[in-house]
Amino acid sequence: MMYSYDNYLNEPYALDFDQMKSLHSELIDEIGNDPDALELYDDLIDVATKYAAIRARWLRMPREEKMDTDSLRTSHHNSVIIHFNKLARYLRMQGEKAEWRDKLGNDEENRYYRKTIGDFGCYIVFVNSICAR
């Protein structure tokens, strides 16, 4: 089966490009030139890139490979969530609102938000990838 952006948009709690762009702009604005925030953001990009690499292959993986890779994918996904939380916590300590994090949802209250947070991590990887021309 071939997948498209429209397939994604039909999923529960999907964020469209405009929503992700807006969230990303909020995040970037709050980070500004703060060296500690920039370091946390770089760490986030590193873990999100690992997660996105697995996720990009997921639909094409044979069942056995999925079973072998699932715990690693989950671990990378957890790391993405942890790094978003760390960045938001740091920014709040600096007086920022970090509303972008609240808009991503609380994955402990609703497990679907876990997917939304992962989607946003993949979006950030996408932006970094196309900016690296």
Side-chain angles (χ1 to χ4, degrees), residues 90-118:
Y90 173 79
L91 290 170
R92 287 178 178 139
M93 288 173 36
Q94 303 310 306
E96 301 292 347
K97 293 181 182 178
E99 289 177 348
W100 56 266
R101 179 60 191 91
D102 297 331
K103 292 174 186 173
L104 289 174
N106 184 337
D107 61 303
E108 293 176 8
E109 292 176 9
N110 182 335
R111 298 297 284 168
Y112 265 109
Y113 287 124
R114 181 176 171 78
K115 294 178 184 232
T116 305
I117 297 164

Side-chain angles (χ1 to χ4, degrees), residues 58 61-73:
W58 192 256
M61 283 185 190
R63 170 178 259 143
E64 186 174 306
E65 187 176 357
K66 282 182 180 178
M67 291 185 336
D68 291 344
T69 310
D70 193 45
S71 63
L72 181 61
R73 180 182 59 93

Side-chain angles (χ1 to χ4, degrees), residues 28-81:
I28 295 298
D29 287 346
E30 288 186 346
I31 289 172
N33 292 319
D34 181 315
D36 292 327
L38 288 166
E39 184 176 336
L40 289 168
Y41 184 70
D42 284 346
D43 292 345
L44 169 63
I45 291 170
D46 288 342
V47 299
T49 300
K50 291 175 186 175
Y51 172 64
I54 293 174
R55 193 164 159 184
R57 293 187 353 257
W58 192 256
L59 294 174
R60 297 178 292 113
M61 283 185 190
R63 170 178 259 143
E64 186 174 306
E65 187 176 357
K66 282 182 180 178
M67 291 185 336
D68 291 344
T69 310
D70 193 45
S71 63
L72 181 61
R73 180 182 59 93
T74 299
S75 174
H76 287 325
H77 195 171
N78 291 342
S79 189
V80 168
I81 294 168

